[in-house]
Amino acid sequence: MLVRALTAPGLRRWYQGRRGAAAACFPLSRALLGVRGAEAAVFLQGLLTNDVTQLVAAGDAPPALYAHALNVQGRCLYDVILYRLHGSTAEEPHILLECDSSVLDSLQKHLKLYKIRRKVTITPCPDHSLWAVIPGEQPGDASSLPKCAEQALLLTPDPRTQVMGWRLIAKKGANLSEIIPGSQVGDIQDYHRHRYKQGIPEGVKDLPPGVALPLESNLAFMNGISFTKGCYIGQELTARTHHMGVIRKRLLPVSFPAPLPSQGIPEGAEILTESGKPAGKFRAGGGELGIALLRLAHANEPLCINLGGDKVPLSASTPEWWPKAAAK
């Protein structure tokens, strides 16, 4: 079933401001897993941080949600984006889960472990392709991007934050230029550089399974958690941290001066202050940009990483899309 593309006023304003730029489409190596059946949303509700029942609600149901699946200790196992493929409450619920391709089998086993007698089917979707779309203004009508999506299975604003543009799901081998006329296929490294600059984690390198904590990973800032939905696996620690209101570390975008060391920056490298105090850990990056888990008390200080006796300086920044109160 074809799902009409949806617009968000905030994204439209951002899109209109990118004058003279064509939409850049990035082919993602993320995988898609289908969960279908009468109890699909209820089943996922107990496994994910967000309120999945929104996807099957009557009325103005969202086309996509961001969420994490946690372990019993409240640490992230999988970061997922959920997409609603059914068109109305009269149809059988059909939800797609986007995940890191390296954990597709693991996520499928995780879901089947808790399936028990639920009326759902869980199947990979290798016949679909997934794209990130960073829109620019085409000549003429600025609403041309969503109106040209007739061949798309789904084209929707990225649910994490408007600065990440759109998510597009199409049939494998679909002609992208017909779906989004005037678009250009971009280098996937440019996509990763864009999200690192914005401080958006994605996949197992940025969110190590069994290590990353959801609130330290800015899950609440990215619309990925409900604090009113009720019980789910890993809720206890997450809810307690939220209600205490004390989060001492967060994922932040970091940048390095050029030139970088020839061997690059190793994932998991310890970050220090100028005086040698531990300030956090580098997660992953591309070129001079990356993402790191940093103690907020040291985030505005000069920082460095020791590599073979040499100090590599770096600096952290607060993303502009964060809530204003969080940037203080």
Side-chain angles (χ1 to χ4, degrees):
M1 161 172 257
L2 293 180
V3 180
R4 284 294 292 181
L6 303 176
T7 61
L11 182 57
R12 181 184 293 276
R13 288 193 296 269
W14 177 73
Y15 164 57
Q16 289 174 333
R18 291 171 56 85
R19 296 188 177 276
C25 302
F26 302 96
L28 302 179
S29 60
R30 307 263 289 173
L32 292 167
L33 190 64
V35 179
R36 190 168 194 164
E39 297 182 289
V42 176
F43 165 59
L44 294 171
Q45 183 78 339
L47 300 177
L48 299 175
T49 55
N50 215 333
D51 185 359
V52 185
T53 61
Q54 295 178 77
L55 294 177
V56 294
D60 192 19
L65 291 174
Y66 180 57
H68 286 184
L70 310 180
N71 63 15
V72 292
Q73 289 80 32
R75 295 180 182 271
C76 178
L77 290 176
Y78 314 102
D79 65 303
V80 297
I81 297 179
L82 298 91
Y83 303 97
R84 172 176 55 84
L85 288 193
H86 56 279
S88 70
T89 55
E91 297 180 35
E92 179 182 63
H94 188 187
I95 298 170
L96 287 186
L97 273 69
E98 171 197 327
C99 67
D100 190 305
S101 57
S102 68
V103 299
L104 176 62
D105 291 342
S106 176
L107 175 58
Q108 188 171 359
K109 290 177 183 176
H110 179 74
L111 295 179
K112 288 184 175 180
L113 177 65
Y114 291 97
K115 178 177 177 285
I116 312 177
R117 293 183 177 86
R118 295 285 188 187
K119 296 178 181 178
V120 296
T121 58
I122 303 167
T123 53
C125 303
D127 56 336
H128 295 340
S129 60
L130 178 67
W131 299 77
V133 182
I134 307 299
E137 186 180 13
Q138 306 289 338
D141 183 8
S143 64
S144 60
L145 173 59
K147 286 187 178 179
C148 292
E150 298 295 342
Q151 292 188 28
L153 191 67
L154 184 70
L155 176 65
T156 178
D158 190 308
R160 296 171 295 185
T161 168
Q162 68 178 36
V163 299
M164 289 306 295
W166 299 66
R167 265 336 203 228
L168 167 66
I169 300 174
K171 295 289 186 181
K172 209 77 161 181
N175 189 333
L176 205 67
S177 64
E178 292 183 8
I179 296 175
I180 306 176
S183 62
Q184 300 175 350
V185 176
D187 185 334
I188 189 60
Q189 295 307 317
D190 289 336
Y191 167 76
H192 292 308
R193 285 171 55 82
H194 173 71
R195 66 178 186 80
Y196 283 134
K197 186 176 181 180
Q198 301 297 337
I200 303 293
E202 188 176 282
V204 297
K205 289 186 177 181
D206 301 342
L207 300 164
V211 175
L213 287 166
L215 298 185
E216 289 183 350
S217 304
N218 305 320
L219 186 63
F221 295 172
M222 294 186 288
N223 310 303
I225 188 168
S226 169
F227 295 108
T228 60
K229 61 173 277 187
C231 295
Y232 57 89
I233 294 174
Q235 179 207 18
E236 185 177 351
L237 175 63
T238 307
R240 185 165 66 243
T241 303
H242 169 68
H243 291 299
M244 288 176 62
V246 180
I247 301 174
R248 294 185 172 86
K249 293 183 286 185
R250 285 193 181 275
L251 283 180
L252 290 168
V254 295
S255 59
F256 298 87
L260 286 171
S262 57
Q263 71 271 31
I265 307 298
E267 295 165 11
E270 186 173 23
I271 298 173
L272 306 171
T273 65
E274 277 190 323
S275 61
K277 293 181 180 179
K281 290 187 180 296
F282 180 71
R283 284 280 174 81
E288 77 281 8
L289 300 174
I291 197 167
L293 182 68
L294 293 172
R295 297 180 186 276
L296 295 178
H298 301 307
N300 295 322
E301 299 179 23
L303 303 170
C304 67
I305 293 175
N306 279 332
L307 289 182
D310 295 327
K311 288 187 176 182
V312 179
L314 72 152
S315 60
S317 59
T318 300
E320 292 185 2
W321 60 268
W322 274 21
K324 297 303 179 186
K328 296 178 180 179

